[in-house]
């Protein structure tokens, strides 16, 4: 398959272009410049591959959760590219991406949601891939590993030291991995995620609130 994948859910811009067994990658911290950097970098990848957009089989994007503005940028660009070339889109959750990167086992993913919260979900990765719990947002102290958890993944463990301190002492941590476009392509190739018309592309916010109030910020600082 020939796929283009993009993620703008963090300060990184992550792009990957696959052609059969080859893959071209752009993965770089761009801070808040996703809107201006994404299309030029996509054009560079296509040029390097000698491939036109219309030759692709689909556009893959990270649907969230993550930074609200970043998620909308990725979805909008994926829809625009797909519409222009009459291609389907494939939306994949960011936490599925992090779980895939962690390796085979029973994985707990915790992704920093800001506002003193984390996005989390449990997975069984490897040949019998399965998301064992819904993706949810919670305070770090409310997250608990399932029995049988063997791996921890995501930046939540580093950004919130109080998060599962006991579990961190006994379980390997894959590190503060962030969503990577190459993992989206591998997940899309698995066939687990449906290809849809661009108009049906959906974001996964999980949380509807963007920022803390002044009172909530003060309370968080006093913890």
């Amino acid at each position: 398959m020939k796929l283009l994948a993009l993620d703008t859910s963090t300060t990184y811009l992550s792009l990957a272009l696959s052609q059969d067994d080859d893959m071209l990658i752009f993965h770089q911290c761009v801070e808040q410049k996703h809107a201006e950097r994404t299309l030029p970098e996509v054009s560079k990848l296509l040029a390097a591959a000698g491939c036109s957009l219309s030759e692709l089989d689909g556009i893959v994007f990270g649907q969230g959760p993550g930074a609200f503005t970043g998620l909308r940028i990725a979805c909008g660009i994926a829809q625009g590219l797909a519409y222009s070339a009459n291609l389907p889109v494939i939306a994949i959750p960011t936490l599925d991406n992090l779980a895939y990167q962690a390796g085979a086992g029973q994985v707990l993913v915790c992704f920093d949601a800001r506002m003193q919260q984390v996005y989390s979900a449990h997975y069984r990765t490897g040949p019998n891939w399965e998301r064992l719990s819904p993706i949810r947002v919670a305070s770090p102290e409310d997250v608990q590993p399932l029995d049988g958890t063997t791996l921890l993944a995501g930046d939540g463990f580093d950004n919130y030291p109080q998060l599962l301190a006991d579990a961190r002492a006994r379980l390997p941590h894959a590190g503060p991995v962030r969503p990577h476009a190459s993992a989206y392509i591998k997940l899309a190739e698995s066939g687990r995620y449906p290809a849809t018309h661009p108009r049906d592309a959906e974001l996964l916010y999980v949380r509807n609130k963007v920022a803390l109030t002044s009172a909530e910020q003060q309370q968080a600082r006093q913890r």
Side-chain angles (χ1 to χ4, degrees):
M1 295 179 69
K2 295 182 180 180
L3 296 170
L4 171 68
L6 58 135
D7 183 275
T8 58
S9 64
T10 69
T11 56
Y12 273 66
L13 169 59
S14 192
L15 306 171
L17 177 64
S18 69
Q19 285 188 296
D20 300 320
D21 294 329
D22 296 326
M23 192 177 301
L24 298 176
I25 293 169
F26 176 90
H27 185 77
Q28 188 177 111
C29 181
V30 299
E31 298 297 343
Q32 307 303 318
K33 296 183 178 180
H34 302 94
E36 56 196 85
R37 293 288 303 276
T38 303
L39 287 176
E41 296 300 338
V42 166
S43 295
K44 290 178 185 178
L45 288 183
L46 290 169
C51 176
S52 68
L53 197 62
S54 60
E55 294 178 73
L56 300 181
D57 296 303
I59 309 290
V60 188
F61 72 97
Q63 69 175 150
F68 281 36
T69 300
L71 297 181
R72 290 192 289 268
I73 290 172
C75 184
I77 290 177
Q79 287 177 306
L81 293 173
Y83 266 119
S84 69
N86 194 28
L87 299 173
V89 297
I90 301 172
I92 298 178
T94 49
L95 269 69
D96 289 19
N97 185 297
L98 299 178
Y100 178 86
Q101 293 185 66
Q106 189 161 301
V107 184
L108 169 59
V109 177
C110 287
F111 191 31
D112 191 356
R114 310 302 177 188
M115 296 169 58
Q116 298 299 308
Q117 293 182 313
V118 293
Y119 300 114
S120 68
H122 297 85
Y123 294 82
R124 179 185 298 112
T125 59
N128 298 315
W129 170 280
E130 182 182 2
R131 191 189 305 134
L132 301 174
S133 71
I135 296 173
R136 68 188 189 111
V137 62
S139 299
E141 56 268 24
D142 292 333
V143 177
Q144 295 296 326
L146 294 177
D147 290 342
T149 297
T150 57
L151 295 167
L152 306 176
D155 62 1
F157 295 101
D158 293 289
N159 296 351
Y160 298 98
Q162 74 273 33
L163 178 57
L164 299 179
D166 292 340
R168 293 174 64 186
R170 57 186 172 79
L171 296 175
H173 181 207
V177 292
R178 55 184 58 84
H180 199 290
S182 62
Y184 283 121
I185 286 181
K186 296 298 183 183
L187 287 168
E189 290 175 341
S190 73
R192 298 186 188 97
Y193 304 88
T196 65
H197 191 279
R199 67 168 174 267
D200 298 321
E202 294 184 350
L203 289 172
L204 180 63
Y205 288 120
V206 179
R207 181 176 65 197
N208 295 321
K209 190 172 182 180
V210 179
L212 294 172
T213 65
S214 297
E216 289 168 333
Q217 292 175 12
Q218 178 66 24
Q219 184 179 17
R221 285 194 289 268
Q222 293 173 350
R223 289 178 180 175

